[in-house]
Amino acid sequence: EEIRIFLGCSDVFVARFDRPRGTLEVLYESMDPGSESLEKLGDLHLTRFTTIMKDLRTKGQFLMQEFGSLSLLDPLLAEMVEKRHTNSLLILPLYLGKNLEGMVGFENIWSKKEWNDWDLNLLQTLCDLLGEALRRKGSAEKLNSTVKILKNSFEGTFRTMTKILEIKDPYTAGHQLNVTRLATAIAAEMGLTGDILDGIYYASLVHDIGKINIPTEILSKPIRLSEIEFSLIRNHTRYGWEILHNIYFPWPIADIVLQHHERLDGSGYPQGLKGDEILLEARIITVADVVEAMSSDRPYRPSLGIGNALDEIEAHSGQWFMPEAVQACTKLFREKSFSFIEEIADDDQILP
């Protein structure tokens, strides 16, 4: 629009070849308000502008300031002269990289625009920049499409793992979904975004996947576990790491799963890591994991309630649990009315 006004043109259009369809697709068009009685060009058949294509390939431009009888042999030019009353027309090639992929047209209906070398150089530079912009836009669209496909693939993979665990232990599967919902909410409350938030989301979904290797009779035992049985349960973090570490993810999923029972003072398991040795994602999931576990019914005891769960993480803030995550978690429940969904029909509801 600005270029059209600057040059005093009645119409400027950007078009790209659609070779499979045999058309020239007009992507953008700017017409002078005084040209409202004219229809926009719309898509054009490639076979209708042989004269223009010949000049674009041989001269690097098509420039017509006086339409003679020979030019009218070109159907496109004949239509523009007869129906649009075009008096001058400049068309420049649009390159995407080294490939001729379209054209940019500058049309004047009322006067014979005298195009000088300065005009042509300026506009060719504009077309080169436009071609590069379109090339990058196309690359970005392809990249976004690939990212979307990969994301859907990741979603499917994690959902499948959750469903497999649900078959063995419905409690654990529901626990993972609730932890995911709380952990991502805590992260968002802390201002975390992007890869960190995505990593927390996906790791939470499978943080207890290692329990698939724990005997069902232990997972569902209705009385307190013995020390030996509890030691078996503690192995689930390593089992989870073993399941996940050979799968490529853009996030350190396996290590997050391995570390989600570590404590800041080194009293956690399985490695006894301390402080910043524990991944940020794992430190956040740890808080969500404890709150969900304490506030839910377990096979061997009823729920202890959200109040007791929040008191527990506050009592050990800075000792076992990351203070920022504790603060965000308590704020969610006490000030923002966060609550767990008892029955999640659609897993997408866990997204923050």
PDB file of all heavy atoms in Angstrom, residues 9-44:
ATOM      1  N   CYS A   9       0.889   4.578  -8.251  1.00  0.00           N
ATOM      2  CA  CYS A   9       0.273   3.533  -9.065  1.00  0.00           C
ATOM      3  C   CYS A   9      -1.195   3.366  -8.684  1.00  0.00           C
ATOM      4  O   CYS A   9      -1.606   3.673  -7.567  1.00  0.00           O
ATOM      5  CB  CYS A   9       0.995   2.206  -8.865  1.00  0.00           C
ATOM      6  SG  CYS A   9       2.690   2.198  -9.451  1.00  0.00           S
ATOM      7  N   SER A  10      -1.965   2.851  -9.622  1.00  0.00           N
ATOM      8  CA  SER A  10      -3.367   2.572  -9.326  1.00  0.00           C
ATOM      9  C   SER A  10      -3.540   1.161  -8.765  1.00  0.00           C
ATOM     10  O   SER A  10      -4.542   0.878  -8.120  1.00  0.00           O
ATOM     11  CB  SER A  10      -4.226   2.736 -10.589  1.00  0.00           C
ATOM     12  OG  SER A  10      -3.671   2.003 -11.665  1.00  0.00           O
ATOM     13  N   ASP A  11      -2.571   0.267  -9.017  1.00  0.00           N
ATOM     14  CA  ASP A  11      -2.671  -1.100  -8.513  1.00  0.00           C
ATOM     15  C   ASP A  11      -1.273  -1.691  -8.375  1.00  0.00           C
ATOM     16  O   ASP A  11      -0.430  -1.516  -9.251  1.00  0.00           O
ATOM     17  CB  ASP A  11      -3.508  -1.951  -9.476  1.00  0.00           C
ATOM     18  CG  ASP A  11      -3.872  -3.309  -8.886  1.00  0.00           C
ATOM     19  OD1 ASP A  11      -3.706  -3.482  -7.669  1.00  0.00           O
ATOM     20  OD2 ASP A  11      -4.321  -4.187  -9.639  1.00  0.00           O
ATOM     21  N   VAL A  12      -1.031  -2.340  -7.247  1.00  0.00           N
ATOM     22  CA  VAL A  12       0.207  -3.088  -7.039  1.00  0.00           C
ATOM     23  C   VAL A  12      -0.197  -4.477  -6.550  1.00  0.00           C
ATOM     24  O   VAL A  12      -1.033  -4.601  -5.654  1.00  0.00           O
ATOM     25  CB  VAL A  12       1.124  -2.411  -6.000  1.00  0.00           C
ATOM     26  CG1 VAL A  12       2.324  -3.304  -5.690  1.00  0.00           C
ATOM     27  CG2 VAL A  12       1.597  -1.062  -6.516  1.00  0.00           C
ATOM     28  N   PHE A  13       0.365  -5.527  -7.149  1.00  0.00           N
ATOM     29  CA  PHE A  13       0.003  -6.878  -6.735  1.00  0.00           C
ATOM     30  C   PHE A  13       1.240  -7.757  -6.620  1.00  0.00           C
ATOM     31  O   PHE A  13       2.245  -7.548  -7.301  1.00  0.00           O
ATOM     32  CB  PHE A  13      -1.011  -7.509  -7.700  1.00  0.00           C
ATOM     33  CG  PHE A  13      -0.510  -7.685  -9.105  1.00  0.00           C
ATOM     34  CD1 PHE A  13       0.153  -8.844  -9.497  1.00  0.00           C
ATOM     35  CD2 PHE A  13      -0.713  -6.684 -10.056  1.00  0.00           C
ATOM     36  CE1 PHE A  13       0.603  -8.998 -10.792  1.00  0.00           C
ATOM     37  CE2 PHE A  13      -0.254  -6.833 -11.361  1.00  0.00           C
ATOM     38  CZ  PHE A  13       0.411  -7.991 -11.738  1.00  0.00           C
ATOM     39  N   VAL A  14       1.148  -8.729  -5.728  1.00  0.00           N
ATOM     40  CA  VAL A  14       2.193  -9.727  -5.537  1.00  0.00           C
ATOM     41  C   VAL A  14       1.566 -11.085  -5.840  1.00  0.00           C
ATOM     42  O   VAL A  14       0.531 -11.431  -5.264  1.00  0.00           O
ATOM     43  CB  VAL A  14       2.732  -9.717  -4.090  1.00  0.00           C
ATOM     44  CG1 VAL A  14       3.817 -10.777  -3.915  1.00  0.00           C
ATOM     45  CG2 VAL A  14       3.259  -8.333  -3.733  1.00  0.00           C
ATOM     46  N   ALA A  15       2.177 -11.825  -6.756  1.00  0.00           N
ATOM     47  CA  ALA A  15       1.600 -13.105  -7.160  1.00  0.00           C
ATOM     48  C   ALA A  15       2.675 -14.186  -7.154  1.00  0.00           C
ATOM     49  O   ALA A  15       3.848 -13.916  -7.381  1.00  0.00           O
ATOM     50  CB  ALA A  15       0.978 -12.995  -8.546  1.00  0.00           C
ATOM     51  N   ARG A  16       2.231 -15.410  -6.905  1.00  0.00           N
ATOM     52  CA  ARG A  16       3.155 -16.536  -6.848  1.00  0.00           C
ATOM     53  C   ARG A  16       2.633 -17.671  -7.726  1.00  0.00           C
ATOM     54  O   ARG A  16       1.433 -17.929  -7.782  1.00  0.00           O
ATOM     55  CB  ARG A  16       3.299 -17.026  -5.407  1.00  0.00           C
ATOM     56  CG  ARG A  16       4.376 -18.085  -5.219  1.00  0.00           C
ATOM     57  CD  ARG A  16       4.615 -18.366  -3.740  1.00  0.00           C
ATOM     58  NE  ARG A  16       5.651 -19.360  -3.554  1.00  0.00           N
ATOM     59  CZ  ARG A  16       6.065 -19.789  -2.366  1.00  0.00           C
ATOM     60  NH1 ARG A  16       5.536 -19.284  -1.266  1.00  0.00           N
ATOM     61  NH2 ARG A  16       7.014 -20.700  -2.271  1.00  0.00           N
ATOM     62  N   PHE A  17       3.552 -18.348  -8.404  1.00  0.00           N
ATOM     63  CA  PHE A  17       3.161 -19.452  -9.277  1.00  0.00           C
ATOM     64  C   PHE A  17       2.628 -20.629  -8.461  1.00  0.00           C
ATOM     65  O   PHE A  17       3.210 -21.017  -7.458  1.00  0.00           O
ATOM     66  CB  PHE A  17       4.349 -19.955 -10.107  1.00  0.00           C
ATOM     67  CG  PHE A  17       4.964 -18.898 -10.986  1.00  0.00           C
ATOM     68  CD1 PHE A  17       6.339 -18.837 -11.160  1.00  0.00           C
ATOM     69  CD2 PHE A  17       4.176 -17.970 -11.635  1.00  0.00           C
ATOM     70  CE1 PHE A  17       6.924 -17.873 -11.965  1.00  0.00           C
ATOM     71  CE2 PHE A  17       4.739 -16.995 -12.445  1.00  0.00           C
ATOM     72  CZ  PHE A  17       6.120 -16.947 -12.612  1.00  0.00           C
ATOM     73  N   ASP A  18       1.522 -21.174  -8.920  1.00  0.00           N
ATOM     74  CA  ASP A  18       1.033 -22.447  -8.412  1.00  0.00           C
ATOM     75  C   ASP A  18       1.079 -23.399  -9.592  1.00  0.00           C
ATOM     76  O   ASP A  18       0.089 -23.609 -10.295  1.00  0.00           O
ATOM     77  CB  ASP A  18      -0.393 -22.307  -7.872  1.00  0.00           C
ATOM     78  CG  ASP A  18      -0.884 -23.581  -7.176  1.00  0.00           C
ATOM     79  OD1 ASP A  18      -0.268 -24.644  -7.421  1.00  0.00           O
ATOM     80  OD2 ASP A  18      -1.864 -23.512  -6.425  1.00  0.00           O
ATOM     81  N   ARG A  19       2.248 -23.977  -9.824  1.00  0.00           N
ATOM     82  CA  ARG A  19       2.455 -24.781 -11.034  1.00  0.00           C
ATOM     83  C   ARG A  19       1.576 -26.025 -11.111  1.00  0.00           C
ATOM     84  O   ARG A  19       1.099 -26.366 -12.192  1.00  0.00           O
ATOM     85  CB  ARG A  19       3.942 -25.133 -11.158  1.00  0.00           C
ATOM     86  CG  ARG A  19       4.821 -23.916 -11.442  1.00  0.00           C
ATOM     87  CD  ARG A  19       6.274 -24.278 -11.664  1.00  0.00           C
ATOM     88  NE  ARG A  19       7.065 -23.124 -12.040  1.00  0.00           N
ATOM     89  CZ  ARG A  19       7.687 -22.318 -11.200  1.00  0.00           C
ATOM     90  NH1 ARG A  19       7.572 -22.543  -9.896  1.00  0.00           N
ATOM     91  NH2 ARG A  19       8.387 -21.288 -11.631  1.00  0.00           N
ATOM     92  N   PRO A  20       1.348 -26.735  -9.992  1.00  0.00           N
ATOM     93  CA  PRO A  20       0.463 -27.906 -10.097  1.00  0.00           C
ATOM     94  C   PRO A  20      -0.923 -27.556 -10.613  1.00  0.00           C
ATOM     95  O   PRO A  20      -1.535 -28.326 -11.352  1.00  0.00           O
ATOM     96  CB  PRO A  20       0.415 -28.447  -8.657  1.00  0.00           C
ATOM     97  CG  PRO A  20       1.709 -28.002  -8.054  1.00  0.00           C
ATOM     98  CD  PRO A  20       1.964 -26.647  -8.651  1.00  0.00           C
ATOM     99  N   ARG A  21      -1.419 -26.388 -10.237  1.00  0.00           N
ATOM    100  CA  ARG A  21      -2.754 -25.956 -10.684  1.00  0.00           C
ATOM    101  C   ARG A  21      -2.699 -25.173 -11.984  1.00  0.00           C
ATOM    102  O   ARG A  21      -3.729 -24.896 -12.596  1.00  0.00           O
ATOM    103  CB  ARG A  21      -3.404 -25.079  -9.610  1.00  0.00           C
ATOM    104  CG  ARG A  21      -3.751 -25.816  -8.322  1.00  0.00           C
ATOM    105  CD  ARG A  21      -4.250 -24.851  -7.264  1.00  0.00           C
ATOM    106  NE  ARG A  21      -5.352 -24.040  -7.774  1.00  0.00           N
ATOM    107  CZ  ARG A  21      -5.637 -22.805  -7.370  1.00  0.00           C
ATOM    108  NH1 ARG A  21      -4.865 -22.225  -6.461  1.00  0.00           N
ATOM    109  NH2 ARG A  21      -6.649 -22.152  -7.865  1.00  0.00           N
ATOM    110  N   GLY A  22      -1.485 -24.789 -12.408  1.00  0.00           N
ATOM    111  CA  GLY A  22      -1.354 -24.012 -13.631  1.00  0.00           C
ATOM    112  C   GLY A  22      -1.877 -22.601 -13.504  1.00  0.00           C
ATOM    113  O   GLY A  22      -2.389 -22.023 -14.475  1.00  0.00           O
ATOM    114  N   THR A  23      -1.743 -22.027 -12.295  1.00  0.00           N
ATOM    115  CA  THR A  23      -2.255 -20.676 -12.079  1.00  0.00           C
ATOM    116  C   THR A  23      -1.202 -19.796 -11.424  1.00  0.00           C
ATOM    117  O   THR A  23      -0.190 -20.270 -10.906  1.00  0.00           O
ATOM    118  CB  THR A  23      -3.504 -20.688 -11.166  1.00  0.00           C
ATOM    119  OG1 THR A  23      -3.148 -21.248  -9.895  1.00  0.00           O
ATOM    120  CG2 THR A  23      -4.627 -21.494 -11.782  1.00  0.00           C
ATOM    121  N   LEU A  24      -1.476 -18.502 -11.469  1.00  0.00           N
ATOM    122  CA  LEU A  24      -0.688 -17.507 -10.754  1.00  0.00           C
ATOM    123  C   LEU A  24      -1.575 -17.005  -9.624  1.00  0.00           C
ATOM    124  O   LEU A  24      -2.597 -16.357  -9.873  1.00  0.00           O
ATOM    125  CB  LEU A  24      -0.283 -16.370 -11.686  1.00  0.00           C
ATOM    126  CG  LEU A  24       0.637 -15.306 -11.086  1.00  0.00           C
ATOM    127  CD1 LEU A  24       2.038 -15.867 -10.897  1.00  0.00           C
ATOM    128  CD2 LEU A  24       0.686 -14.076 -11.985  1.00  0.00           C
ATOM    129  N   GLU A  25      -1.216 -17.323  -8.397  1.00  0.00           N
ATOM    130  CA  GLU A  25      -2.036 -16.951  -7.241  1.00  0.00           C
ATOM    131  C   GLU A  25      -1.659 -15.562  -6.754  1.00  0.00           C
ATOM    132  O   GLU A  25      -0.509 -15.307  -6.395  1.00  0.00           O
ATOM    133  CB  GLU A  25      -1.823 -17.971  -6.118  1.00  0.00           C
ATOM    134  CG  GLU A  25      -2.631 -17.676  -4.870  1.00  0.00           C
ATOM    135  CD  GLU A  25      -2.298 -18.603  -3.718  1.00  0.00           C
ATOM    136  OE1 GLU A  25      -1.378 -19.442  -3.883  1.00  0.00           O
ATOM    137  OE2 GLU A  25      -2.942 -18.485  -2.662  1.00  0.00           O
ATOM    138  N   VAL A  26      -2.611 -14.647  -6.767  1.00  0.00           N
ATOM    139  CA  VAL A  26      -2.366 -13.292  -6.290  1.00  0.00           C
ATOM    140  C   VAL A  26      -2.455 -13.306  -4.762  1.00  0.00           C
ATOM    141  O   VAL A  26      -3.526 -13.504  -4.190  1.00  0.00           O
ATOM    142  CB  VAL A  26      -3.380 -12.300  -6.890  1.00  0.00           C
ATOM    143  CG1 VAL A  26      -3.151 -10.904  -6.316  1.00  0.00           C
ATOM    144  CG2 VAL A  26      -3.249 -12.264  -8.412  1.00  0.00           C
ATOM    145  N   LEU A  27      -1.302 -13.109  -4.109  1.00  0.00           N
ATOM    146  CA  LEU A  27      -1.232 -13.180  -2.654  1.00  0.00           C
ATOM    147  C   LEU A  27      -1.686 -11.881  -2.000  1.00  0.00           C
ATOM    148  O   LEU A  27      -2.383 -11.879  -0.991  1.00  0.00           O
ATOM    149  CB  LEU A  27       0.198 -13.502  -2.206  1.00  0.00           C
ATOM    150  CG  LEU A  27       0.817 -14.791  -2.751  1.00  0.00           C
ATOM    151  CD1 LEU A  27       2.258 -14.917  -2.268  1.00  0.00           C
ATOM    152  CD2 LEU A  27       0.010 -16.001  -2.324  1.00  0.00           C
ATOM    153  N   TYR A  28      -1.235 -10.759  -2.559  1.00  0.00           N
ATOM    154  CA  TYR A  28      -1.544  -9.442  -2.006  1.00  0.00           C
ATOM    155  C   TYR A  28      -1.838  -8.498  -3.154  1.00  0.00           C
ATOM    156  O   TYR A  28      -1.232  -8.575  -4.218  1.00  0.00           O
ATOM    157  CB  TYR A  28      -0.371  -8.891  -1.182  1.00  0.00           C
ATOM    158  CG  TYR A  28       0.166  -9.848  -0.156  1.00  0.00           C
ATOM    159  CD1 TYR A  28       1.330 -10.575  -0.386  1.00  0.00           C
ATOM    160  CD2 TYR A  28      -0.509 -10.039   1.057  1.00  0.00           C
ATOM    161  CE1 TYR A  28       1.814 -11.461   0.556  1.00  0.00           C
ATOM    162  CE2 TYR A  28      -0.031 -10.930   2.002  1.00  0.00           C
ATOM    163  CZ  TYR A  28       1.139 -11.640   1.750  1.00  0.00           C
ATOM    164  OH  TYR A  28       1.613 -12.518   2.678  1.00  0.00           O
ATOM    165  N   GLU A  29      -2.772  -7.577  -2.921  1.00  0.00           N
ATOM    166  CA  GLU A  29      -3.077  -6.581  -3.947  1.00  0.00           C
ATOM    167  C   GLU A  29      -3.554  -5.309  -3.273  1.00  0.00           C
ATOM    168  O   GLU A  29      -4.368  -5.342  -2.347  1.00  0.00           O
ATOM    169  CB  GLU A  29      -4.154  -7.104  -4.908  1.00  0.00           C
ATOM    170  CG  GLU A  29      -4.426  -6.157  -6.069  1.00  0.00           C
ATOM    171  CD  GLU A  29      -5.356  -6.766  -7.114  1.00  0.00           C
ATOM    172  OE1 GLU A  29      -5.914  -7.864  -6.855  1.00  0.00           O
ATOM    173  OE2 GLU A  29      -5.524  -6.143  -8.181  1.00  0.00           O
ATOM    174  N   SER A  30      -3.022  -4.183  -3.725  1.00  0.00           N
ATOM    175  CA  SER A  30      -3.423  -2.881  -3.203  1.00  0.00           C
ATOM    176  C   SER A  30      -3.915  -2.025  -4.356  1.00  0.00           C
ATOM    177  O   SER A  30      -3.176  -1.767  -5.306  1.00  0.00           O
ATOM    178  CB  SER A  30      -2.248  -2.189  -2.505  1.00  0.00           C
ATOM    179  OG  SER A  30      -2.576  -0.861  -2.182  1.00  0.00           O
ATOM    180  N   MET A  31      -5.168  -1.592  -4.282  1.00  0.00           N
ATOM    181  CA  MET A  31      -5.753  -0.779  -5.350  1.00  0.00           C
ATOM    182  C   MET A  31      -6.080   0.610  -4.840  1.00  0.00           C
ATOM    183  O   MET A  31      -6.483   0.793  -3.696  1.00  0.00           O
ATOM    184  CB  MET A  31      -7.028  -1.450  -5.881  1.00  0.00           C
ATOM    185  CG  MET A  31      -6.802  -2.820  -6.496  1.00  0.00           C
ATOM    186  SD  MET A  31      -8.315  -3.541  -7.171  1.00  0.00           S
ATOM    187  CE  MET A  31      -8.605  -2.445  -8.554  1.00  0.00           C
ATOM    188  N   ASP A  32      -5.898   1.580  -5.711  1.00  0.00           N
ATOM    189  CA  ASP A  32      -6.270   2.952  -5.387  1.00  0.00           C
ATOM    190  C   ASP A  32      -7.781   3.014  -5.166  1.00  0.00           C
ATOM    191  O   ASP A  32      -8.538   2.366  -5.890  1.00  0.00           O
ATOM    192  CB  ASP A  32      -5.864   3.883  -6.532  1.00  0.00           C
ATOM    193  CG  ASP A  32      -6.061   5.337  -6.170  1.00  0.00           C
ATOM    194  OD1 ASP A  32      -7.227   5.798  -6.214  1.00  0.00           O
ATOM    195  OD2 ASP A  32      -5.070   6.007  -5.854  1.00  0.00           O
ATOM    196  N   PRO A  33      -8.242   3.770  -4.141  1.00  0.00           N
ATOM    197  CA  PRO A  33      -9.689   3.879  -3.909  1.00  0.00           C
ATOM    198  C   PRO A  33     -10.457   4.323  -5.155  1.00  0.00           C
ATOM    199  O   PRO A  33     -11.626   3.969  -5.322  1.00  0.00           O
ATOM    200  CB  PRO A  33      -9.782   4.924  -2.791  1.00  0.00           C
ATOM    201  CG  PRO A  33      -8.483   4.825  -2.073  1.00  0.00           C
ATOM    202  CD  PRO A  33      -7.468   4.505  -3.125  1.00  0.00           C
ATOM    203  N   GLY A  34      -9.782   5.060  -6.034  1.00  0.00           N
ATOM    204  CA  GLY A  34     -10.439   5.496  -7.267  1.00  0.00           C
ATOM    205  C   GLY A  34     -10.651   4.369  -8.253  1.00  0.00           C
ATOM    206  O   GLY A  34     -11.308   4.542  -9.280  1.00  0.00           O
ATOM    207  N   SER A  35     -10.081   3.204  -7.942  1.00  0.00           N
ATOM    208  CA  SER A  35     -10.213   2.044  -8.828  1.00  0.00           C
ATOM    209  C   SER A  35     -11.245   1.054  -8.316  1.00  0.00           C
ATOM    210  O   SER A  35     -11.258  -0.099  -8.718  1.00  0.00           O
ATOM    211  CB  SER A  35      -8.860   1.330  -8.964  1.00  0.00           C
ATOM    212  OG  SER A  35      -7.863   2.219  -9.387  1.00  0.00           O
ATOM    213  N   GLU A  36     -12.115   1.501  -7.418  1.00  0.00           N
ATOM    214  CA  GLU A  36     -13.065   0.592  -6.792  1.00  0.00           C
ATOM    215  C   GLU A  36     -14.004  -0.068  -7.793  1.00  0.00           C
ATOM    216  O   GLU A  36     -14.539  -1.149  -7.554  1.00  0.00           O
ATOM    217  CB  GLU A  36     -13.882   1.332  -5.732  1.00  0.00           C
ATOM    218  CG  GLU A  36     -13.077   1.660  -4.474  1.00  0.00           C
ATOM    219  CD  GLU A  36     -13.916   2.379  -3.438  1.00  0.00           C
ATOM    220  OE1 GLU A  36     -15.068   2.722  -3.761  1.00  0.00           O
ATOM    221  OE2 GLU A  36     -13.416   2.594  -2.321  1.00  0.00           O
ATOM    222  N   SER A  37     -14.214   0.582  -8.931  1.00  0.00           N
ATOM    223  CA  SER A  37     -15.117   0.007  -9.932  1.00  0.00           C
ATOM    224  C   SER A  37     -14.501  -1.209 -10.613  1.00  0.00           C
ATOM    225  O   SER A  37     -15.197  -1.990 -11.249  1.00  0.00           O
ATOM    226  CB  SER A  37     -15.468   1.064 -10.992  1.00  0.00           C
ATOM    227  OG  SER A  37     -14.282   1.521 -11.636  1.00  0.00           O
ATOM    228  N   LEU A  38     -13.167  -1.368 -10.467  1.00  0.00           N
ATOM    229  CA  LEU A  38     -12.494  -2.509 -11.074  1.00  0.00           C
ATOM    230  C   LEU A  38     -12.473  -3.693 -10.116  1.00  0.00           C
ATOM    231  O   LEU A  38     -12.402  -3.529  -8.898  1.00  0.00           O
ATOM    232  CB  LEU A  38     -11.050  -2.145 -11.432  1.00  0.00           C
ATOM    233  CG  LEU A  38     -10.866  -1.152 -12.574  1.00  0.00           C
ATOM    234  CD1 LEU A  38      -9.398  -0.801 -12.701  1.00  0.00           C
ATOM    235  CD2 LEU A  38     -11.388  -1.726 -13.885  1.00  0.00           C
ATOM    236  N   GLU A  39     -12.508  -4.884 -10.674  1.00  0.00           N
ATOM    237  CA  GLU A  39     -12.376  -6.088  -9.873  1.00  0.00           C
ATOM    238  C   GLU A  39     -10.908  -6.377  -9.626  1.00  0.00           C
ATOM    239  O   GLU A  39     -10.054  -6.067 -10.458  1.00  0.00           O
ATOM    240  CB  GLU A  39     -13.029  -7.280 -10.585  1.00  0.00           C
ATOM    241  CG  GLU A  39     -14.530  -7.163 -10.736  1.00  0.00           C
ATOM    242  CD  GLU A  39     -15.116  -8.414 -11.385  1.00  0.00           C
ATOM    243  OE1 GLU A  39     -14.337  -9.341 -11.665  1.00  0.00           O
ATOM    244  OE2 GLU A  39     -16.334  -8.443 -11.595  1.00  0.00           O
ATOM    245  N   LYS A  40     -10.611  -6.991  -8.483  1.00  0.00           N
ATOM    246  CA  LYS A  40      -9.232  -7.404  -8.239  1.00  0.00           C
ATOM    247  C   LYS A  40      -8.839  -8.474  -9.238  1.00  0.00           C
ATOM    248  O   LYS A  40      -9.689  -9.158  -9.813  1.00  0.00           O
ATOM    249  CB  LYS A  40      -9.089  -7.915  -6.807  1.00  0.00           C
ATOM    250  CG  LYS A  40      -9.161  -6.811  -5.741  1.00  0.00           C
ATOM    251  CD  LYS A  40      -8.919  -7.386  -4.358  1.00  0.00           C
ATOM    252  CE  LYS A  40      -8.888  -6.289  -3.305  1.00  0.00           C
ATOM    253  NZ  LYS A  40      -7.709  -5.406  -3.446  1.00  0.00           N
ATOM    254  N   LEU A  41      -7.553  -8.596  -9.469  1.00  0.00           N
ATOM    255  CA  LEU A  41      -7.074  -9.525 -10.490  1.00  0.00           C
ATOM    256  C   LEU A  41      -7.503 -10.962 -10.230  1.00  0.00           C
ATOM    257  O   LEU A  41      -7.933 -11.669 -11.138  1.00  0.00           O
ATOM    258  CB  LEU A  41      -5.542  -9.459 -10.579  1.00  0.00           C
ATOM    259  CG  LEU A  41      -4.975  -8.206 -11.251  1.00  0.00           C
ATOM    260  CD1 LEU A  41      -3.467  -8.193 -11.098  1.00  0.00           C
ATOM    261  CD2 LEU A  41      -5.363  -8.170 -12.723  1.00  0.00           C
ATOM    262  N   GLY A  42      -7.379 -11.418  -8.979  1.00  0.00           N
ATOM    263  CA  GLY A  42      -7.694 -12.810  -8.690  1.00  0.00           C
ATOM    264  C   GLY A  42      -6.652 -13.743  -9.290  1.00  0.00           C
ATOM    265  O   GLY A  42      -5.664 -13.303  -9.877  1.00  0.00           O
ATOM    266  N   ASP A  43      -6.851 -15.028  -9.160  1.00  0.00           N
ATOM    267  CA  ASP A  43      -5.901 -15.993  -9.707  1.00  0.00           C
ATOM    268  C   ASP A  43      -5.936 -15.985 -11.227  1.00  0.00           C
ATOM    269  O   ASP A  43      -6.997 -15.868 -11.837  1.00  0.00           O
ATOM    270  CB  ASP A  43      -6.219 -17.401  -9.197  1.00  0.00           C
ATOM    271  CG  ASP A  43      -5.961 -17.546  -7.713  1.00  0.00           C
ATOM    272  OD1 ASP A  43      -5.359 -16.623  -7.131  1.00  0.00           O
ATOM    273  OD2 ASP A  43      -6.363 -18.570  -7.140  1.00  0.00           O
ATOM    274  N   LEU A  44      -4.737 -16.097 -11.824  1.00  0.00           N
ATOM    275  CA  LEU A  44      -4.611 -16.029 -13.283  1.00  0.00           C
ATOM    276  C   LEU A  44      -4.037 -17.340 -13.813  1.00  0.00           C
ATOM    277  O   LEU A  44      -3.191 -17.965 -13.174  1.00  0.00           O
ATOM    278  CB  LEU A  44      -3.681 -14.877 -13.673  1.00  0.00           C
ATOM    279  CG  LEU A  44      -4.058 -13.492 -13.129  1.00  0.00           C
ATOM    280  CD1 LEU A  44      -2.903 -12.521 -13.351  1.00  0.00           C
ATOM    281  CD2 LEU A  44      -5.321 -12.979 -13.792  1.00  0.00           C
TER     282      LEU A  44
END
